[in-house]
């Protein structure tokens, strides 16, 4: 920044002028530290005082680094020392957790900018670390772990920005306090957490072309863009510490940023949207448009300038915003100054995925920064020869309806410099294949040839089953079968079919439950609370108001049960006969990512009973079997 501003180069100079025009980086202001900062209590709120001083400390630190004038460093330290010697507590209603997250992050980053300033006494720096740990970190971690008492109930009560703000604070404080054990907690939660700030839950649905529906889309765009700002903050801090959260789950943050950017550039009625049923009601479409929060420069310069990918919607919104302004206290903003960088050479297409969806092959990929269009190529062999079957501009998606067989796909970017071939080759068996097969014949090995071997856990054993074979016996206490993590990662349309013998009428046991937590999962119960056979498919700790249900499975005898999903149409079969169908089953297996709780006989929700009974010949297919094929299995 200092080099570019010193040379009067744009767009850095424009960003520098934004910093100066904000006047928070002017000298000789007086700190107003408080012992207790309150947010969320009418008539007692005083958190605005802290925001001003926090922004001053951050802006003064930046001005010192860029200008080289030590007067700004001395003033920054003055604000840091005043607050670390005074602040004792965060108060208010639940909004105090916004204080711990939003402001803990920025205080820690301001201090990090001053870490190596010789004029900041070591004892003063230590006191600031103590303040961050005692006042902000304890609150932020408590929110992540307990969600203000909602952790054991509906963790989705809190929107994504609450989680992300506190994850940022935990990470930033861990960095400044030299505590990698603390930063590891934020990373683990971002990858594996239950709350809406976790990667799989803030981008909770992927539309074709890697367009990721953001968790707060149906709420408003001010909070949606705040979520992008905070997720970008977390990923940027982690990147600077050597951890690539930006690239986690096939660039899932970019999918969300592109969706939010597009939403704020177009008529929300044109946005692809799946219903979101949560604590605060059901969202049926994108709410609002036109938000211009300064959150996209950081996203753009990582994925495009650092990685060479394309981000067309992010670029389009930045073209209307550059240079990015100062944010109002939730995030520093000023991304044009802070994050603009020279671009690496454009990358080839990456992140190619291919799923069976609605009876066809759905392809999506990340594009090249300089591509004018893309060639979709297909072959019967992984090594070719490949034939171009389509030319695509934007969005980067294509739906193919090939002849029956096994097909391989790749993408080539057409650029002004010529074609740039992507390295990814995606394989699809059309219209489907046996994906996993557990005969349960004395072991839990996969007989499909794909190596997805399962294991028996707890009170599960083998015994004689139907037709002279063996079966798995579930004790109803703690026994279940664990499939490999990510066993259903590559499935869109699918079929699950098995023989079961239910020995109890207990409600909400599971034949299978695929997911990583009780927020997003696909599960089949022989009897729900209303004593119905039910397929449950949730992205948000709820399932549809009209779930896929049928009469309960009988007890005491072997029954063949199967479920298919084609697009969003789910169908239940019992003993080879269709018993129910529903056209709004919105959760495909691949939407959940790399599942860590892929279970037979056990629920994601700890309060549900374990399955008691027997299970034999458990099968998962990619694609939906026909009614005739399922009837044949039931024979």
């Amino acid at each position: 920044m200092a080099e570019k501003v010193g040379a009067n180069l744009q767009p850095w100079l424009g960003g520098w002028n934004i910093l100066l025009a904000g006047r928070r980086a002017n000298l000789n202001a007086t700190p107003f530290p408080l012992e207790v900062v309150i947010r969320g209590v009418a008539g007692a709120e005083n958190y605005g005082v802290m925001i001003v001083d926090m922004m001053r400390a951050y802006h003064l630190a930046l001005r010192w680094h860029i200008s080289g004038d030590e007067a700004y460093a001395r003033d920054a330290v003055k604000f840091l020392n005043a607050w670390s010697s005074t602040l004792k507590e965060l108060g208010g209603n639940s909004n105090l957790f916004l204080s711990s997250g939003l402001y803990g992050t920025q205080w820690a980053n301001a201090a990090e900018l001053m870490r190596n300033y010789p004029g900041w006494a070591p004892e003063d720096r230590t006191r600031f670390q103590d303040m961050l740990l005692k006042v902000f970190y304890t609150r932020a971690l408590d929110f992540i772990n307990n969600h203000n008492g909602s952790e054991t109930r509906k963790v989705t009560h809190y929107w994504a920005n609450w989680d992300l703000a506190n994850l940022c604070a935990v990470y930033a404080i861990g960095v400044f306090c030299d505590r990698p054990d603390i930063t590891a907690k934020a990373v683990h939660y971002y990858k594996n957490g239950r709350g809406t700030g976790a990667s799989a839950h803030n981008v909770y649905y992927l539309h074709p072309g890697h367009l990721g529906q953001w968790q707060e889309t149906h709420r408003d765009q001010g909070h949606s863009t705040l979520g992008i700002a905070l997720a970008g903050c977390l990923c940027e801090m982690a990147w600077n510490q050597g951890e690539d959260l930006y690239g986690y789950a096939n660039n899932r943050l970019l999918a969300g940023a592109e969706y939010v950017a597009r939403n704020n550039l177009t008529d929300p009625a044109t946005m692809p949207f799946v219903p979101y049923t949560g604590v605060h009601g059901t969202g049926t479409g994108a709410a609002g448009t036109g938000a211009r929060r300064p959150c996209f420069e950081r996203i753009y310069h990582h994925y495009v300038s650092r990685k060479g990918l394309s981000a067309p919607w992010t670029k389009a919104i930045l073209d209307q915003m550059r240079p990015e302004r100062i944010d109002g206290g939730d995030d520093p903003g000023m991304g044009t100054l802070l994050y603009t960088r020279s671009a690496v050479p454009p990358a080839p297409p990456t992140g190619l995925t291919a799923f069976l969806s609605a009876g066809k092959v759905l392809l999506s990929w990340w594009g090249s920064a300089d591509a004018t269009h893309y060639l979709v190529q297909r072959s019967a062999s992984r090594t070719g020869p490949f034939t171009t079957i389509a030319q695509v501009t934007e969005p980067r998606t294509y739906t193919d309806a090939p002849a029956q067989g096994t097909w391989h796909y790749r993408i080539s970017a057409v650029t002004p410099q010529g074609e740039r071939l992507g390295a990814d080759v995606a394989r699809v068996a059309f219209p489907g294949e046996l994906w996993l097969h557990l005969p349960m014949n004395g072991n839990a090995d996969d007989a499909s040839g794909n190596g997805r071997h399962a294991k028996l856990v707890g009170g599960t054993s083998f015994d004689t089953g139907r037709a002279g074979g063996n079966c798995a016996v579930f004790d109803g206490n703690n026994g279940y079968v664990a499939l490999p993590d990510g066993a259903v990662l590559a499935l869109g349309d699918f079929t699950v079919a098995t023989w079961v013998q239910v020995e109890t009428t207990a409600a909400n046991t599971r034949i299978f439950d695929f997911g990583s937590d009780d927020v997003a999962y696909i599960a089949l119960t022989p009897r729900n609370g209303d004593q119905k056979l039910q397929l449950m498919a949730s992205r948000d700790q709820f399932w549809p108001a009209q779930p896929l249900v049928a009469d309960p499975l009988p007890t005491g005898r072997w029954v063949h049960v199967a479920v298919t999903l084609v697009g969003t149409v789910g169908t239940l079969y019992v003993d080879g006969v269709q018993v129910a169908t529903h056209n709004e089953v919105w959760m495909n297996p691949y939407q959940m990512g790399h599942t860590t709780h892929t279970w037979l006989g056990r629920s994601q929700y700890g309060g549900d009973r374990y399955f008691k009974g027997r299970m034999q010949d458990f099968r998962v297919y990619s694609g939906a079997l026909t009614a005739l094929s399922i009837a044949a299995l039931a024979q």
Side-chain angles (χ1 to χ4, degrees):
M1 287 183 273
E3 176 188 341
K4 301 298 185 181
V5 170
N8 291 324
L9 293 177
Q10 296 290 2
W12 295 271
L13 185 61
W16 171 248
N17 290 333
I18 292 287
L19 172 66
L20 299 184
R23 299 187 298 177
R24 301 294 192 202
N26 291 351
L27 294 173
N28 302 319
T30 301
F32 291 97
L34 304 169
E35 284 196 9
V36 180
V37 169
I38 299 172
R39 176 168 179 162
V41 178
E45 288 188 328
N46 59 5
Y47 69 97
V49 175
M50 184 174 72
I51 288 177
V52 171
D53 280 6
M54 176 190 72
M55 292 175 69
R56 288 191 187 280
Y58 187 82
H59 291 193
L60 287 162
L62 278 175
R63 191 164 184 177
W64 166 55
H65 276 285
I66 296 170
S67 72
D69 188 337
E70 192 174 347
Y72 297 102
R74 289 193 294 269
D75 250 24
V77 166
K78 177 177 69 177
F79 280 87
L80 296 175
N81 287 345
W83 278 87
S84 66
S85 61
T86 305
L87 182 62
K88 299 293 188 295
E89 185 179 352
L90 302 177
N93 58 20
S94 62
N95 281 268
L96 72 86
F97 294 112
L98 291 176
S99 296
S100 65
L102 297 171
Y103 313 137
T105 302
Q106 293 179 70
W107 274 124
N109 273 280
E112 181 71 16
L113 284 170
M114 302 307 300
R115 172 191 288 273
N116 295 322
Y117 172 54
W120 196 11
E123 60 271 22
D124 292 338
R125 187 167 58 249
T126 298
R127 186 177 66 244
F128 200 89
Q129 289 175 325
D130 289 343
M131 180 201 74
L132 288 175
L133 288 168
K134 293 175 182 177
V135 177
F136 292 94
Y137 170 68
T138 54
R139 293 291 199 179
L141 186 64
D142 177 63
F143 181 80
I144 292 302
N145 289 336
N146 300 303
H147 287 90
N148 196 30
S150 294
E151 183 68 23
T152 57
R153 300 192 300 275
K154 293 298 183 185
V155 67
T156 51
H157 174 81
Y158 287 95
W159 304 94
N161 74 85
W162 289 71
D163 269 17
L164 287 166
N166 285 283
L167 287 174
C168 285
V170 169
Y171 199 98
I173 292 167
V175 171
F176 180 66
C177 295
D178 302 307
R179 293 280 302 276
D181 60 312
I182 290 179
T183 60
K185 293 176 182 178
V187 171
H188 178 79
Y189 197 91
Y190 185 72
K191 293 181 176 180
N192 304 293
R194 291 176 67 236
T196 54
S199 173
H201 300 153
N202 57 50
V203 177
Y204 68 90
Y205 194 89
L206 292 171
H207 296 278
H210 295 326
L211 203 58
Q213 188 167 320
W214 189 257
Q215 191 264 341
E216 300 192 63
T217 295
H218 65 285
R219 182 187 185 192
D220 59 61
Q221 295 313 302
H223 287 97
S224 293
T225 50
L226 174 58
I228 298 300
L230 295 170
C233 173
L234 177 64
C235 291
E236 184 68 18
M237 289 189 293
W239 179 266
N240 289 330
Q241 300 298 315
E243 176 102 31
D244 185 8
L245 294 184
Y246 277 119
Y248 180 68
N250 195 11
N251 303 320
R252 200 170 181 99
L253 174 56
L254 179 57
E258 283 285 278
Y259 185 95
V260 172
R262 176 180 167 181
N263 193 152
N264 285 287
L265 287 168
T266 60
D267 180 354
T270 67
M271 292 297 296
F273 190 91
V274 298
Y276 185 96
T277 301
V279 174
H280 305 286
T282 299
T284 57
T289 187
R292 295 296 185 270
R293 183 185 293 272
C295 63
F296 292 105
E297 203 80 84
R298 180 164 43 202
I299 301 294
Y300 179 84
H301 284 288
H302 175 79
Y303 290 108
V304 178
S305 299
R306 273 188 186 138
K307 307 302 289 184
L309 304 178
S310 68
W313 290 104
T314 301
K315 180 182 185 302
I317 201 167
L318 273 176
D319 287 344
Q320 300 182 7
M321 296 171 59
R322 193 175 280 132
E324 281 189 341
R325 60 174 174 83
I326 297 168
D327 204 352
D330 291 340
D331 180 75
M334 299 184 292
T336 304
L337 173 64
L338 295 174
Y339 305 112
T340 300
R341 64 187 66 249
S342 301
V344 300
T350 60
L352 175 63
T353 59
F355 304 110
L356 295 176
S357 178
K360 298 181 180 180
V361 179
L362 173 63
L363 304 170
S364 297
W365 61 92
W366 295 114
S368 301
D370 61 343
T372 59
H373 59 279
Y374 303 91
L375 305 179
V376 180
Q377 300 177 342
R378 184 180 69 203
S379 172
S381 168
R382 184 176 181 84
T383 58
F386 282 84
T387 301
T388 296
I389 59 172
Q391 179 175 304
V392 176
T393 52
E394 294 290 343
R396 293 146 299 183
T397 183
Y398 180 72
T399 300
D400 188 28
Q404 183 171 334
T406 299
W407 299 102
H408 300 81
Y409 296 87
R410 70 183 189 186
I411 306 297
S412 182
V414 179
T415 78
Q417 290 73 41
E419 281 192 43
R420 188 177 301 118
L421 184 64
D424 298 333
V425 176
R427 173 191 176 279
V428 176
F430 185 84
E433 64 184 326
L434 183 60
W435 188 258
L436 179 148
H437 182 202
L438 306 181
M440 304 293 191
N441 193 22
N443 60 49
D445 288 350
D446 177 15
S448 72
N450 293 317
R452 299 184 176 94
H453 303 308
K455 62 181 180 179
L456 272 61
V457 182
T460 312
S461 59
F462 292 106
D463 198 358
T464 302
R466 57 173 299 279
N470 285 347
C471 67
V473 181
F474 298 77
D475 68 352
N477 182 28
N478 63 357
Y480 64 101
V481 173
L483 305 183
D485 290 352
V488 295
L489 173 64
L491 299 182
D493 294 353
F494 74 97
T495 301
V496 173
T498 189
W499 287 94
V500 294
Q501 186 180 87
V502 182
E503 295 183 12
T504 176
T505 58
N508 295 322
T509 65
R510 298 289 195 270
I511 294 173
F512 69 83
D513 198 329
F514 300 158
S516 297
D517 49 51
D518 62 345
V519 175
Y521 57 87
I522 299 173
L524 182 66
T525 177
R527 291 172 182 262
N528 65 10
D530 296 324
Q531 293 294 296
K532 295 288 187 179
L533 171 67
Q534 181 183 32
L535 179 74
M536 296 173 285
S538 171
R539 301 172 313 283
D540 43 33
Q541 217 173 10
F542 290 82
W543 55 80
Q546 295 179 321
L548 181 56
V549 296
D551 290 338
L553 294 185
T555 59
R557 73 170 179 87
W558 283 103
V559 181
H560 189 267
V561 60
V563 56
T564 65
L565 183 67
V566 182
T568 64
V569 180
T571 305
L572 285 172
Y573 297 84
V574 174
D575 286 334
V577 177
Q578 178 179 319
V579 293
T581 188
H582 195 282
N583 63 0
E584 292 187 10
V585 180
W586 293 102
M587 179 58 88
N588 307 93
Y590 75 83
Q591 296 285 355
M592 299 181 293
H594 192 82
T595 55
T596 56
H597 296 163
T598 317
W599 293 333
L600 312 183
R602 180 180 176 182
S603 170
Q604 305 291 333
Y605 178 59
D608 289 337
R609 298 276 299 275
Y610 284 71
F611 176 75
K612 183 174 178 60
R614 297 174 178 236
M615 200 175 302
Q616 185 175 345
D617 196 31
F618 182 87
R619 297 168 180 249
V620 178
Y621 293 84
S622 67
L625 295 184
T626 65
L628 286 176
S629 295
I630 290 174
L633 284 179
Q635 298 300 313

